[in-house]
């Protein structure tokens, strides 16, 4: 079994729409995956109950109230029922080729970390998950989507313990690239699955942060990442 875990933002406005879209796409993956929602932001408990997902509300945060990567990953590794784990941001849609790509790597590598670029697309309304929803979404991505820079990574699939992780803030810079560095340092096969896995990012603003996009990407004095 594959365990997907994530830390949703508060379910408000457009963010609520795209997070529900993402979670519903994960629920349609086959074989069925375990899904764990971390944190206690507005609406998370209710969404977990609505879709019958596991919910772990208590997670460590920094002084700004931003969840910490190391605590979330540690709790996921300890509580997951699956033997392969996937951290994914809650605005990412996953299609059928996701499971196919993970299985392809798992059959060939004993230790692995799978990541890949995402496709950015505008989705303003709830998706209609009818029979041909994947085909319609792929057509939209081909027509209007944009492949994002390799430095921005929104999902990681791995088998087992990644080792000790520094207390990075989720949703800010550095931690995604550090995870790849750490895996390579430990001799884990790092696989770029961009050509095999369609990770579709639903564009959004940064209204959930006090200082918007600057806060997500900015740096304070002495190299402290804004949180």
């Amino acid at each position: 079994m594959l365990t997907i875990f994530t830390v949703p933002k508060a379910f408000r406005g457009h963010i609520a729409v795209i997070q529900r879209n993402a979670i519903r796409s994960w629920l349609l993956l086959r074989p069925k995956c375990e899904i764990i929602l971390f944190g206690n932001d507005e609406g998370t408990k209710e969404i977990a109950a609505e879709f019958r997902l596991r919910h772990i509300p208590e997670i460590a945060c920094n002084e700004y109230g931003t969840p910490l990567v190391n605590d979330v990953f540690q709790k996921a590794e300890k509580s997951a029922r699956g033997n392969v784990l996937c951290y994914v941001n809650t605005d990412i849609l996953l299609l059928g080729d996701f499971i196919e790509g993970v299985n392809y790597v798992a059959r060939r590598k004993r230790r692995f970390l799978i990541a890949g670029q995402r496709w950015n697309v505008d989705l303003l309304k709830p998706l209609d998950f009818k029979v041909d929803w994947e085909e319609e979404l792929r057509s939209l991505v081909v027509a209007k989507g944009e492949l994002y820079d390799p430095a921005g990574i929104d999902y990681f699939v791995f088998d087992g313990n990644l080792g000790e992780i520094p207390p990075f803030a989720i949703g800010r810079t550095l931690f995604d690239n550090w995870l790849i560095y750490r895996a390579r340092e430990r001799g884990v096969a790092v696989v770029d699955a961009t050509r095999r896995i369609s990770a579709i990012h639903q564009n959004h603003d940064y209204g959930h942060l006090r200082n918007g996009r600057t806060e997500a990407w900015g740096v304070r004095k002495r190299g402290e990442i804004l949180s």
Side-chain angles (χ1 to χ4, degrees), residues 1-5 26 29-36 52 54 76 79-86 98-99 102-103 106 112 157-160:
M1 175 185 285
L2 173 68
T3 294
I4 295 175
F5 65 101
W26 308 344
L29 295 172
R30 293 294 181 270
K32 186 176 180 180
C33 301
E34 176 187 36
I35 300 173
I36 306 176
R52 298 182 180 181
R54 292 185 61 194
S79 61
R81 296 173 183 141
N83 53 2
V84 176
L85 290 85
C86 171
F98 175 72
I99 296 294
V102 171
N103 288 341
F112 58 83
V157 185
F158 57 99
D159 60 327

Side-chain angles (χ1 to χ4, degrees), residues 17-146:
V17 171
I18 65 178
Q19 291 190 143
R20 288 180 66 92
N21 283 343
I23 291 169
R24 290 185 68 191
S25 78
W26 308 344
L27 286 165
L28 292 173
L29 295 172
R30 293 294 181 270
K32 186 176 180 180
C33 301
E34 176 187 36
I35 300 173
I36 306 176
L37 305 186
F38 280 91
N40 209 18
D41 275 355
E42 179 183 334
T44 301
K45 178 181 177 180
E46 290 74 15
I47 292 294
E50 177 182 348
F51 292 118
R52 298 182 180 181
L53 311 177
R54 292 185 61 194
H55 178 217
I56 299 179
E58 300 300 325
I59 52 175
C61 298
N62 63 16
E63 64 268 38
Y64 303 99
T66 309
L68 297 178
V69 173
N70 57 325
D71 188 63
V72 171
F73 272 64
Q74 184 180 57
K75 284 185 167 72
E77 290 168 2
K78 287 183 177 179
S79 61
R81 296 173 183 141
N83 53 2
V84 176
L85 290 85
C86 171
Y87 169 80
V88 60
N89 288 334
T90 326
D91 50 19
I92 298 294
L93 295 157
L94 297 175
L95 311 184
D97 60 10
F98 175 72
I99 296 294
E100 294 172 5
V102 171
N103 288 341
Y104 180 87
V105 174
R107 287 193 298 266
R108 289 161 174 80
K109 300 292 182 180
R110 186 176 62 86
R111 301 175 65 208
F112 58 83
L113 176 70
I114 304 170
Q117 292 170 254
R118 76 189 194 208
W119 288 90
N120 288 343
V121 70
D122 291 330
L123 285 174
L124 301 179
K125 299 179 180 180
L127 280 173
D128 182 1
F129 288 91
K130 53 189 177 182
V131 174
D132 58 348
W133 74 274
E134 286 198 15
E135 288 73 16
E136 290 190 1
L137 186 57
R138 289 183 190 278
S139 297
L140 176 64
V141 170
V142 169
K144 299 183 177 181
E146 178 184 10

